[in-house]
Amino acid sequence: MFSGIDLDLDVDVDIDADVDMEVENGLESGNIDFQDVSNVEVDRQHVVNKRTRNLKWWQVVLIYFNFVGLPFMFTFTFWIFNWWLISVITTTLTNNYNTSFGYAIVLLAILPSLFLTKIVTVPFKSFFKNLNKDGDKAIDFIGLEAKLLSTISGEKMGNAEVIVDGNVMTIYVKSLDTSELKFHEKALIIKQSEDKNYYFVAKPNLN
């Protein structure tokens, strides 16, 4: 549902997890946008604990059932559809509607639907691997003007909208001199952070 809604919200989420999960050019600890999560493509290095380099059981499950290596929402959609399909066919054949056994079938269908999802998504691996394998050309935002989508000051991070070649893009920004920059105010992108997760912005020089 969230993946289909265009939300211009600055959502601050405190993440308290024992696994260091990192997505390139998208997330900084404590700041997550719904659109970032729904569109993310998870790679193996994103689900590996950076301290131990060991995989946990749920990470192995993600990799085994092709949630890793393919766009997450792509595999997730296949899984939900297969789960629904197996549930409908089984309850129809057994004529168990609105019964405890029928509800049990729905729950038990989770596992076979995962294996079916693994089978049907395997052919797409080579397709997505060769699709734009060289990646998108990096965009140089330095020197461009951005419109703030939230008020920022001090160490607070916010979102800003930048138009490049007619395309609207959203980036994470901080105030260069920690002064307050207000919502919908124009700002000039000065430089990128060392971890390359956000940009420093300042009020444009009008002189």
Side-chain angles (χ1 to χ4, degrees), residues 1-7 9 33-35 37-39 73:
M1 291 173 62
F2 287 132
S3 67
I5 301 175
D6 186 14
L7 296 174
L9 297 176
D33 188 276
F34 283 127
Q35 293 178 353
V37 176
S38 64
N39 293 314
M73 290 302 296

Side-chain angles (χ1 to χ4, degrees), residues 55-127:
L55 292 173
K56 295 191 175 183
W57 67 267
W58 60 269
Q59 297 169 326
V60 175
V61 169
L62 286 176
I63 295 173
Y64 182 78
F65 289 110
N66 294 338
F67 286 94
V68 175
L70 290 173
F72 180 83
M73 290 302 296
F74 179 83
T75 306
F76 183 79
T77 302
F78 265 102
W79 173 46
I80 295 299
F81 176 77
N82 290 329
W83 184 11
W84 168 81
L85 186 64
I86 291 174
S87 301
V88 169
I89 292 176
T90 307
T91 52
T92 301
L93 293 177
T94 58
N95 197 29
N96 281 286
Y97 301 100
N98 298 323
T99 65
S100 298
F101 184 67
Y103 295 128
I105 289 175
V106 173
L107 295 177
L108 293 173
I110 294 177
L111 191 58
S113 66
L114 282 171
F115 284 101
L116 181 59
T117 299
K118 176 179 175 61
I119 294 172
V120 298
T121 56
V122 165
F124 293 97
K125 277 195 166 184
S126 59
F127 171 77

Side-chain angles (χ1 to χ4, degrees), residues 39-65:
N39 293 314
V40 70
E41 179 176 345
V42 186
D43 292 324
R44 190 179 189 277
Q45 61 265 28
H46 297 151
V47 296
V48 176
N49 188 313
K50 293 192 294 185
R51 291 184 293 271
T52 64
R53 291 297 176 185
N54 293 324
L55 292 173
K56 295 191 175 183
W57 67 267
W58 60 269
Q59 297 169 326
V60 175
V61 169
L62 286 176
I63 295 173
Y64 182 78
F65 289 110

Side-chain angles (χ1 to χ4, degrees), residues 13-19 29:
V13 179
D14 292 328
I15 301 175
D16 185 14
D18 59 340
V19 176
S29 178

